[in-house]
């Protein structure tokens, strides 16, 4: 099970009241919510391995160089030769170190990669796995990873933890009328305001899907636009050729990286030792984690009392 960690802790932060605080006044709604999500996911889907994938760089320069508007609306400060500062509520900023600490306390493997997003870590781990994979995210970008033959599913959280949706090939086709392998080209054509991707003017979901149904992939769409003998209408041909510069770079931005070398690690879910359980007990009291830590412990195969 691969967690799109930021997607989950943002959802936890907005899903639970910020009146949940530790004794020192620091909010803990995101920490508690993330633990409850992990408990629910592990209990329901019974993974043998668990990885919290991390955004070491939420807005990589190599993507921005190709499409400057990429995630620009989420940025509060540009950083030369570093990671741009993302707009994050102060109450959540204060909890991110605690999220890292509680994941470490639970011995949950955290993996990020320099100059890459969590999506790229997830894409690489999924592509390189020799066992079935569940990707947990609220981000549609990762629908491109769904692959029945490769045993990769997406557990989609956008409708809330009480209405989780498991995406397979058939689900993606039903939702968007494209195969998961076409989803990145679909997203490039129609654009995505949440990521600052402009798309092609005049092309929405239905048109993007119909183009891919007829011409298979983005290369096929571009080739048809340049071929006067193709079945593509003159107006559509003009839209595609007018967006040639954007379409030349969009696939590199939209496609997740699948070949990162993430080194060796052991993400197997295994019982914690007495010292680790004691550490979690202390953090539970110090941070006012309520029953969230106990539920996560139980789901991960530990006695909440140690």
């Amino acid at each position: 099970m691969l967690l799109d960690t930021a997607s989950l802790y943002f959802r936890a932060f907005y899903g639970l009241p910020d009146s949940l605080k530790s004794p020192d006044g620091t909010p803990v709604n995101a920490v508690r919510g993330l633990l409850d999500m992990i408990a629910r996911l592990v209990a329901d889907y019974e993974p043998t391995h668990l990885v919290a994938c991390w955004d070491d760089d939420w807005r990589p320069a190599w993507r921005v160089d190709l499409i400057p508007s990429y995630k620009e609306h989420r940025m509060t400060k540009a950083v030369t030769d570093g990671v741009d500062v993302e707009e994050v509520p102060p109450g959540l900023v204060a909890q991110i170190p605690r999220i890292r600490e509680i994941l470490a306390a639970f011995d949950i493997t955290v993996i990020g990669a320099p100059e890459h997003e969590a999506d790229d870590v997830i894409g690489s781990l999924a592509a390189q796995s020799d066992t079935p994979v569940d990707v947990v995210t609220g981000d549609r970008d990762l629908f491109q990873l769904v692959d029945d033959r490769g045993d990769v599913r997406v557990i989609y959280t956008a409708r809330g933890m009480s209405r989780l949706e498991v995406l397979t090939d058939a689900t993606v086709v039903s939702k968007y009328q494209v195969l998961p392998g076409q989803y990145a080209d679909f997203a490039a054509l129609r654009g995505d305001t949440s990521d600052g991707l402009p798309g092609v003017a005049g092309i929405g979901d239905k048109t993007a899907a119909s183009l891919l149904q007829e011409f298979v992939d983005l290369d096929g769409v571009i080739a048809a636009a340049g071929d006067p003998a193709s079945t593509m209408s003159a107006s559509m041909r003009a839209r595609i050729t007018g967006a040639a510069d954007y379409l030349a770079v969009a696939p590199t931005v939209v496609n997740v990286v699948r070949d990162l070398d993430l080194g060796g690690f052991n993400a197997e879910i295994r019982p914690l030792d007495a010292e680790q359980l004691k550490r979690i007990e202390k953090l539970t009291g110090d941070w006012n984690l309520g029953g969230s830590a106990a539920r996560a412990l139980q789901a991960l195969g530990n006695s909440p009392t140690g």
Side-chain angles (χ1 to χ4, degrees):
M1 178 172 281
L2 306 177
L3 306 179
D4 182 1
T5 314
S7 170
L8 298 183
Y9 66 60
F10 265 94
R11 180 164 296 279
F13 177 78
Y14 287 111
L16 291 175
D18 58 11
S19 57
L20 294 171
K21 298 179 185 292
S22 62
D24 68 1
T26 304
V28 291
N29 53 335
V31 181
R32 288 174 63 157
L34 180 61
L35 287 174
D36 280 330
M37 288 177 175
I38 290 171
R40 165 77 188 279
L41 290 161
V42 171
D44 285 1
Y45 298 99
E46 300 182 337
T48 57
H49 297 70
L50 181 65
V51 179
C53 301
W54 204 264
D55 279 318
D56 278 10
D57 190 339
W58 69 280
R59 189 174 184 253
W62 57 271
R63 283 191 165 107
V64 176
D65 288 345
L66 296 173
I67 299 180
S69 62
Y70 182 66
K71 296 187 176 179
E72 186 177 29
H73 60 294
R74 300 191 217 170
M75 181 182 67
T76 59
K77 180 181 178 183
V79 178
T80 304
D81 297 326
V83 178
D84 293 335
V85 179
E86 184 179 12
E87 183 178 4
V88 179
L92 178 54
V93 171
Q95 295 183 70
I96 292 174
R98 291 191 171 186
I99 288 170
R100 288 297 296 251
E101 188 171 347
I102 202 67
L103 290 172
F106 273 85
D107 199 25
I108 294 172
T109 300
V110 177
I111 300 179
E115 300 178 358
H116 287 85
E117 301 173 52
D119 286 8
D120 301 314
V121 174
I122 291 169
S124 296
L125 291 174
Q128 297 167 31
S129 176
D130 56 5
T131 60
V133 173
D134 280 338
V135 174
V136 184
T137 185
D139 187 348
R140 293 182 300 174
D141 292 346
L142 292 173
F143 290 1
Q144 64 186 275
L145 297 177
V146 172
D147 182 359
D148 285 0
R149 291 182 63 188
D151 273 330
V152 179
R153 309 185 301 182
V154 165
I155 299 171
Y156 190 46
T157 65
R159 299 168 68 192
M161 292 300 292
S162 62
R163 300 173 67 191
L164 294 173
E165 188 174 9
V166 178
L167 272 68
T168 61
D169 287 5
T171 319
V172 175
V173 171
S174 175
K175 279 179 170 291
Y176 300 105
Q177 288 71 58
V178 296
L179 293 165
Q182 297 173 302
Y183 188 85
D185 288 348
F186 170 80
L189 284 165
R190 66 104 197 267
D192 189 339
T193 55
S194 67
D195 280 342
L197 296 174
V200 177
I203 293 183
D205 284 20
K206 290 183 179 179
T207 304
S210 65
L211 286 169
L212 292 170
Q213 288 164 11
E214 184 169 2
F215 303 110
V216 182
D217 56 22
L218 190 55
D219 287 342
V221 171
I222 293 169
D227 179 5
S230 77
T231 57
M232 186 179 289
S233 69
S235 60
M236 183 58 64
R237 192 176 291 119
R239 287 174 183 164
I240 298 298
T241 55
D245 289 346
Y246 162 74
L247 291 175
V249 298
T252 303
V253 175
V254 176
N255 279 285
V256 300
V257 177
R258 304 191 190 205
D259 60 358
L260 292 175
D261 181 357
L262 298 168
F265 58 90
N266 181 6
E268 184 177 2
I269 296 174
R270 50 198 181 274
L272 302 179
D273 62 30
E275 186 175 340
Q276 291 170 315
L277 291 170
K278 186 176 180 181
R279 172 66 176 155
I280 290 170
E281 183 180 2
K282 184 176 189 307
L283 291 176
T284 298
D286 289 350
W287 294 354
N288 184 30
L289 298 182
S292 300
R295 286 187 287 273
L297 280 172
Q298 186 169 13
L300 290 164
N302 300 274
S303 166
T305 61

